[in-house]
Amino acid sequence: MSASVLYDAPGPKAVVRNRIYAVVGTLAIAALIVVSILRLADKGHLAPEMWDIFNYAGIRQNIADAVLATLKAFGLAAVGSLVLGVLLAVGRLSDHKPVRWVATTFIELFRSLPLLITIYAIWVGFLTDYSMWALAAGLSVYNGCVQAEVLRAGINAVPKGQREAAYALGMSKTQVMTTVLMPQAIRSMLPTIISQLVVTLKDTSLGFIILYPELLQTARLIASNTQVNGQYPYVSTIVVIGTIYIAMCLLLSALATWIEKRGRRAKTGIKVAPGVQTADIPAVEDIPGPRAGGAGGAGPTVDGAAGAGVTKD
C-alpha cells in the first residue's frame, strides 16, 4: 500500500476511532431527520390532504408553465453568459490597455455586486415591462463575468509553446485565439463551465423579486393561495418544487458528463501514417537493375574501375 504525501494511512486505533465517529454522526443525522418528520406530522404538514392538491389539473398546469418559464430564462441566460464570457475573456487578455482595463473593470464590478441587486436594477431601470428579459440579462451579466474568469484561466493554462508555434506559422492574433487557444480552454474547463451553468439554472429562482412566474414564484403563489385543513401547504410545495429543481440540475450535470466523455473520445488532429516494418524493406542486393561497382563490369562504375560502364570524368 502506497502512502500519500498529503495523507498518512491511519493505524488500527485511528481506524476504530473513525468508524465510531462515522456511526455516531450517522445516528445523529438520522435522529434529526426523524425528529423533523415527527414534528411536521404533529402539525399536520404530512397529511395526505396536503399532497392531494397536486392532483388538481390547475396546479399541475401552473407548475408546468413555471418549469417552461424557468427553462426559457435559463436558456437565454446560458447563451448570454457564454457569449459575454468569451468577449470579456478575450478583452481581458488583449494587448491594448484600454480594452483590457474596460474588461477588467466590468468583470470586477459585476462580480462584486449581489446578483439580486443587478437583476432588480436592470428590471427597474431598463426592462420594467419585460421581466423575463430583465432576469436573463441580470443572470447573463453576473455569470458572464464568472465564465470569463474561467475561460481566462483555461487560456493561460495552454502551453506557451503552442502560441509561439502558431505565431511562427504566420497566424494572426485572432486565428491563434479562435483556432488554438479558445478550443483547448473550453475543452479543459468544460466541467467548470457546466457547473456554473447549473448555478445559473438555480439562480433563476431570484426572478421572484421582479414577479417573474418561474418555479419559486409559482410555488409561493400556490402555497399562499391554497388552504388545506386551515393550513397552507408550504412543506409539500417546497418538497415538490425542490425535487423539480434537483431533477433539472441532475439532467444538466448528466448532459455535461456526456459531452465531456464524447469530447474525450473524439478523434481529432492529423492522422499519422502507419510505420513500415524493417522486415518489409527489401535488401540492396534484392533490388533488380544495375548495381554500382558490380563484378565483371556488369554495371556502371563511379571510380573508373574495370568494366565497360560509364566512367567518371
Side-chain angles (χ1 to χ4, degrees), residues 88-153:
L88 291 175
V90 174
R92 188 157 189 182
L93 295 172
S94 175
D95 295 333
H96 305 284
K97 288 185 178 180
V99 177
R100 188 167 64 248
W101 289 346
V102 170
T104 302
T105 303
F106 187 91
I107 291 174
E108 296 301 330
L109 174 63
F110 286 100
R111 283 180 62 195
S112 302
L113 283 176
L115 178 55
L116 192 62
I117 294 178
T118 303
I119 294 173
Y120 189 76
I122 293 176
W123 180 61
V124 173
F126 304 99
L127 300 171
T128 306
D129 298 329
Y130 304 95
S131 57
M132 182 183 70
W133 292 99
L135 176 61
L139 292 173
S140 299
V141 169
Y142 174 78
N143 292 282
C145 295
V146 178
Q147 298 286 18
E149 291 298 283
V150 172
L151 292 174
R152 185 172 69 92

Side-chain angles (χ1 to χ4, degrees), residues 34 84 86 88 108 144 190 232 272 309:
V34 171
L84 183 61
V86 171
L88 291 175
E108 296 301 330
L190 186 60
Y232 294 101
V272 181

Side-chain angles (χ1 to χ4, degrees), residues 27-77:
L27 292 176
I29 295 174
L32 289 175
I33 294 175
V34 171
V35 170
S36 300
I37 292 175
L38 292 177
R39 292 191 62 181
L40 292 175
D42 292 338
K43 294 183 179 181
H45 291 293
L46 301 182
E49 295 81 6
M50 292 291 184
W51 304 89
D52 191 57
I53 62 174
F54 299 103
N55 292 325
Y56 294 106
I59 291 181
R60 291 202 303 266
Q61 186 61 42
N62 289 337
I63 294 177
D65 294 339
V67 172
L68 183 59
T70 299
L71 293 178
K72 284 182 180 179
F74 165 71
L76 293 173

Side-chain angles (χ1 to χ4, degrees), residues 187 259-269:
R187 176 172 294 185
I259 293 176
E260 184 181 1
K261 290 182 179 179
R262 184 177 179 84
R264 290 179 179 177
R265 293 198 305 265
K267 296 181 179 180
T268 58

Side-chain angles (χ1 to χ4, degrees), residues 285-311:
E285 58 270 13
D286 296 335
I287 300 176
R291 303 187 185 94
T301 61
V302 177
D303 299 329
V310 179
T311 60

